[in-house]
Amino acid sequence: MRFGWVSAVSRQPDQVERFLTVLEQRLVPLPYDHWHTIKCADGSEAEIRLQRAGHILGSAYVSCRYRGDHVTVFSGDLGASHAPILPPPTSPEGADVLVIESTYGDRQHEGRATRRQRLEGMLVRALADKGTLLIPAFSIGRTQELLYELEEIIHENRQRAMHPFLDWDELPIVLDSPLASRFTQVYRELSPYWEDEARERLAEGRRPLAFDQLLTVDGHEAHMRMVHHLAESARPAVVIAASGMCAGGRIVNYLRAMLGDKRHNVLFVGYQAAGTLGREIQRVGQGGRVRLEGEDVAIRAGVDTISGYSAHADQQDLLRFVSGMKHWPEEIRVVHGDGGAKQALRVELEMLYVEAGTRGRVYCPGS
């Protein structure tokens, strides 16, 4: 009933505004690292504490203290240890129960140096034919990481030629996503919360998220002009556009215009879920065919993947989150991941406990 009510309200603008007003009135901003008392449905009280999760700006994991000293920690989405811009999460002191994500519970990310080298190499290869490198990316988190590392690559290659027809200083980086542009502005405004390396770059006069080669596209008409210009000209460029899994958004217009042209390339930098257009393009690759908005499209563009660009912790990060606790949980519930990822993380956590000589139960609810 509640979901039906929300669906009905969403089609009535005046009701949407009323709903948002009520929601804003009930939101309570909470600082990190402080215990806050809340009322439970049964009239009892509990305390919660938010601590930095390092996943995206402002993200947090939650410790809940109930009935005196019983603590349950909900990890939510945890950030990768080597991600730029944001500090990685630190472990809580301890927990009786830990509910932990497992998005990448079965794999390790590429190291930051390796992925940066691969990204630079991909730029050189992809732009050799004077085409466009398309990077599907979600608007918050991954887009800002990409911009940060693109600025680093351009900065280190400044006043050098990438190709006889293109200097690194002249490479346009097109951010074609109004939402990503707004989030990037928020990241810039909240630079005091960046990690040390990123703030040092600001102090040096660099602008990691607002460098000279960065172009933003806002309105739909400007977006379509950019699509046609890059598809029909011989102007090398990098385009970052949502959605990250090509399930909609402006990236689809670029794909429709460029997938059939071998001058262009598509670079996936994040997880592509089963059933999405991104997963299908990634699976069949150059020379394959996909259904794009009801049409059968041949892929002549190059297709590549760099796995290290994820805002999620990998398996080692998740294990460190547990081993970094002073008091390890008696019970760990592994959630929020594919079946294989959850089971792989469960096995590794059990081994962690065995090697440490500590008792604890690890299981995957619903699996």
Side-chain angles (χ1 to χ4, degrees), residues 215-236:
L215 308 174
T216 59
V217 181
D218 292 320
H220 180 72
E221 290 185 6
H223 156 68
M224 292 307 300
R225 285 197 300 270
M226 182 64 74
V227 171
H228 294 312
H229 170 67
L230 294 178
E232 297 170 5
S233 69
R235 175 68 187 274

Side-chain angles (χ1 to χ4, degrees), residues 33-166:
D33 302 322
H34 294 278
W35 287 102
H36 306 274
T37 301
I38 60 172
K39 290 288 186 181
C40 301
D42 62 1
S44 61
E45 292 184 346
E47 295 175 288
I48 62 171
R49 182 173 62 185
L50 307 182
Q51 291 174 271
R52 288 177 176 83
H55 176 61
I56 58 175
L57 193 65
S59 62
Y61 67 86
V62 183
S63 298
C64 181
R65 188 162 61 192
Y66 185 63
R67 296 189 184 279
D69 59 358
H70 186 279
V71 175
T72 298
V73 172
F74 299 89
S75 77
D77 291 334
L78 294 173
S81 60
H82 63 274
I85 306 180
L86 299 182
T90 56
S91 304
E93 183 175 353
D96 297 290
V97 177
L98 169 64
V99 182
I100 191 168
E101 66 130 318
S102 59
T103 307
Y104 286 98
D106 59 347
R107 69 194 78 176
Q108 315 301 328
H109 295 321
E110 290 181 281
R112 185 173 164 196
T114 300
R115 75 179 190 186
R116 183 199 167 283
Q117 290 172 358
R118 288 194 62 196
L119 178 60
E120 182 173 342
M122 185 66 196
L123 289 171
V124 174
R125 293 193 306 274
L127 302 178
D129 293 330
K130 300 183 180 181
T132 298
L133 176 61
L134 301 176
I135 307 180
F138 290 109
S139 297
I140 183 169
R142 191 164 296 136
T143 289
Q144 289 74 38
E145 285 194 21
L146 280 167
L147 294 178
Y148 185 90
E149 295 213 332
L150 286 167
E151 187 275 341
E152 180 180 15
I153 292 170
I154 293 171
H155 177 78
E156 293 189 357
N157 288 287
R158 60 192 182 280
Q159 298 181 347
R160 297 178 186 172
M162 177 193 290
H163 296 293
F165 54 83
L166 178 65

